[in-house]
Amino acid sequence: MSTYYEEVQEIKAQYPDGRSAALPALRLAQEKHGYLSPEALRECADALGTTPALCEAVASFYDMLHLAPTGRHIVEVCTNVSCALVGAQQVLESFEQELGIRAGETTDDGEVTLRPIECLGGCGWATVVSIDHHYRTHVKPADVPAIVQELRSGE
Amino acid sequence: MASEQRLIVMAGTDERDLTRLAEYEAIDGYSALQKARGMTPQAVIDDVIASELRGRGGAFFPTGRKWSFVPKPEQNPNPHYVVVNADESEPGSFKDNEIMSRVPHRFLEGCLIAAHAIESKNVFVYIRGEYTGPYEILLAALKELEGRPDLRGDVTIVLHRGAGAYICGEETALLESLEGKRGQPRTKPPFPAGQGLYASPTVVNNVETLATLPPIIEMGGAEYAKLGVPDSRGTRVVSISGHVERPGNYEIENGTSLRELIYDLGGGIPGGRDLKAVIPGGSSTVILKGDEIDVGYDFNSLLKLNTAMGSAGVVALDDRCCMVQLGIRISEFYEHESCGKCTPCREGTRWMTQILRRLESGEALQSELDLLLDVCDRINGKCLCPLGETAAVAVASYVEKFRGEFSAHVEQGGCPFGDASPLHDVLAPVAMGGHLPSAVPV
């Protein structure tokens, strides 16, 4: 298996200018470290041939890149208009209830982070919930306990 | 015009699994590419100009003309790039999601045709980071292409995943992001055609635009131009969502009436409720009242109502919906997604949200309605990109078309709809501190 450094070099080679690899490199670093910790940013900067400050400046712009720890799983409920019209807020509240946390928080065991998210581009299949960046569509409050059970059982 | 679908981009998807190369080739897939490669690049551009194809991302700019602005290799020896805008993030639009997921090869064929037209060897597909599903389908389709040098030729296609930022759908912000930076729009000019990716000649095209190219080349531009209505030729994949019985993507001939879209294809409003309003082209567009839908879904017809097809996201709202609550949620979206570069957008969207919240809670004075419109006016035309402007135009249209309802919030000291409206108290990301990471124990 190739190291993080080698993987980033391969990605850089796909572009005329290796700096284009910043987003993929940050994504990989986040996957490896759980979040973009100072150590992750240093490793990313080293592989890209740039500074940790630049990596942090880029990362802080993007919603999917996290500069603070998150849960092992991320549950994101789209609450933009189309989803909200058919009950996204109730889905979000069901997750709050089932997980015992408020939106924006992580469960005490560090397993699940819950947050609302802007339009996921699945408006016709509302409510859309992204679980670890895989979409569940047509989610109703009644579906939430089973989803949480699935996450807790580590599937 | 008949209220039925006209499948051009999505043709064949009912019968076959077109995510597989063999299935796509069985319906003559990639034959348009071979035909295009038998033509000179200029002939391909001319055919696309003849088709009157206009960009399906939202700006509706004529595709062939955009290509004709790209300097020829002898005029500019830098590498030429095709960049695909697959960053679909406009609330209400989910068509590119389905196009990439169901006709990935038609889309890739379109990329290769565009590359031939502007004499490019490099295609970058900037796909929004959240789209894991379409990304994996495209990746598999590309793998199939790798084994087929007869189709791929000497063109490389790189899938580049975004990381969550609506603004990266703006073409110059997208290019910044693709260069590994924060996704903030550039000053224009220079335009991407001359100085785009790495300051080299670049065309940025939307997914659907590219997926429309194979059928255009196959049938000929003049034939394609027979579809639709003047200035809006061909078909459009329209996303219908919100309060309709059958939400989904429908490919229609341009000019089909909005009423047919909502009541025939969309199946009408659930529960026998009345239609109160329609967002016709994604959250950025001027709203229509429920009685304004006897209008052709095309550029000119919608322009007469001061609105647009935008990215073809039709959102229906029934009579329970509060327009102030809608304004709050839309304003919160743009506030969250403002890149922060231009002050009127960064500060203005925040002010819009605050005034709308005061209206909803009943604290606002009647004069704050005009203050809201004034804030909108101070954003309009004063920023580098359209983000703040579209927020202002959309929200101002809610006030203008539903002024009585906005006033009622002041007169009654609160919301006449309250929690009977489905948009009541919806938690938006910006209400949690924007891009700040979640508050979690370290």
Side-chain angles (χ1 to χ4, degrees), chain A residues 15-16 19-20 27 57-58 60-64 69 79-80 82 84-85 89 104 106 116 118-121 123-124 133 135, chain B residues 81 91-92 94 97 128-132 160 163-164 177-178 180-183 198 241 243 329 333 426-427 432 438 440:
Chain A
Y15 301 93
R19 279 176 296 184
S20 282
R27 180 190 276 261
V58 172
S60 65
F61 189 81
Y62 297 93
D63 200 56
M64 295 175 74
T79 64
N80 208 297
S82 294
L85 286 173
Q89 180 63 27
T106 299
E118 288 299 0
C119 185
L120 286 169
C123 319
H133 308 302
Y135 287 10
Chain B
Y81 298 108
F94 50 102
N97 184 339
R128 73 177 288 191
E130 292 88 348
Y131 275 3
T132 309
H160 185 94
S177 182
L178 184 49
K181 303 169 194 160
R182 292 165 70 87
Y198 314 123
S241 68
H243 292 142
R329 189 63 191 85
F333 169 72
V426 175
L427 184 63
M432 308 179 46
S438 328
V440 289

Side-chain angles (χ1 to χ4, degrees), chain B residues 131-439:
Chain B
Y131 275 3
T132 309
Y135 168 76
E136 286 171 352
I137 290 167
L138 281 182
L139 201 60
L142 268 183
K143 283 239 162 67
E144 287 187 294
L145 265 191
E146 263 170 38
R148 291 291 299 277
D150 57 318
L151 301 178
R152 190 169 40 84
D154 54 358
V155 178
T156 58
I157 301 179
V158 174
L159 300 183
H160 185 94
R161 306 176 76 182
Y166 169 74
I167 187 58
C168 291
E170 195 281 333
E171 62 178 8
T172 61
L174 185 153
L175 294 173
E176 287 286 294
S177 182
L178 184 49
E179 290 181 3
K181 303 169 194 160
R182 292 165 70 87
Q184 293 188 314
R186 298 175 179 170
T187 311
K188 292 197 267 191
F191 292 93
Q195 291 179 51
L197 187 62
Y198 314 123
S200 296
T202 303
V203 294
V204 184
N205 282 144
N206 164 263
V207 171
E208 185 184 352
T209 310
L210 291 161
T212 309
L213 293 174
I216 286 176
I217 296 298
E218 199 171 277
M219 70 174 83
E223 196 61 28
Y224 182 83
K226 289 178 185 166
L227 294 165
V229 294
D231 296 327
S232 305
R233 297 303 182 185
T235 64
R236 193 84 196 249
V237 181
V238 182
S239 302
I240 307 180
S241 68
H243 292 142
V244 287
E245 286 283 1
R246 292 191 296 272
N249 287 310
Y250 298 93
E251 185 172 6
I252 52 135
E253 216 172 315
N254 282 312
T256 302
S257 96
L258 187 53
R259 177 177 293 280
E260 286 168 27
L261 277 178
I262 293 168
Y263 281 93
D264 295 342
L265 293 170
I269 317 304
R273 291 197 164 273
D274 286 332
L275 178 68
K276 178 171 183 174
V278 179
I279 294 172
S283 60
S284 300
T285 52
V286 164
I287 203 163
L288 294 175
K289 294 172 92 161
D291 60 6
E292 290 180 303
I293 61 169
D294 290 303
V295 58
Y297 200 71
D298 62 82
F299 181 80
N300 288 336
S301 303
L302 289 167
L303 187 64
K304 280 182 198 145
L305 297 177
N306 204 24
T307 189
M309 282 192 278
S311 53
V314 174
V315 185
L317 298 103
D318 75 20
D319 52 5
R320 295 170 300 163
C321 297
C322 169
M323 290 297 124
V324 175
Q325 292 174 9
L326 175 68
I328 290 172
R329 189 63 191 85
I330 293 289
S331 180
E332 283 179 319
F333 169 72
Y334 288 100
E335 180 186 343
H336 185 258
E337 299 301 332
S338 175
C339 83
K341 187 165 181 170
C342 308
T343 309
C345 169
R346 184 186 65 240
E347 302 301 319
T349 50
R350 198 165 61 92
W351 274 105
M352 284 166 56
T353 305
Q354 286 181 13
I355 298 169
L356 286 157
R357 283 206 169 281
R358 282 173 55 80
L359 277 160
E360 176 67 6
S361 66
E363 298 161 88
L365 307 171
Q366 199 67 252
S367 61
E368 285 174 59
L369 274 182
D370 289 323
L371 178 64
L372 176 58
L373 292 175
D374 189 52
V375 171
C376 291
D377 193 48
R378 282 162 198 269
I379 299 171
N380 272 340
K382 296 170 185 71
C383 304
L384 279 177
C385 91
L387 188 144
E389 181 158 324
T390 50
V393 167
V395 170
S397 78
Y398 310 160
V399 181
E400 279 150 13
K401 297 210 174 179
F402 297 92
R403 181 111 191 178
E405 188 173 319
F406 277 74
S407 291
H409 280 73
V410 179
E411 288 150 13
Q412 297 179 22
C415 181
F417 298 88
D419 59 7
S421 165
L423 296 170
H424 172 76
D425 251 353
V426 175
L427 184 63
V430 76
M432 308 179 46
H435 283 109
L436 293 176
S438 328

Side-chain angles (χ1 to χ4, degrees), chain B residues 86-99:
Chain B
D87 195 51
E88 181 174 64
S89 311
E90 173 90 354
S93 294
F94 50 102
K95 64 184 179 68
D96 294 339
N97 184 339
E98 187 154 351
I99 291 168

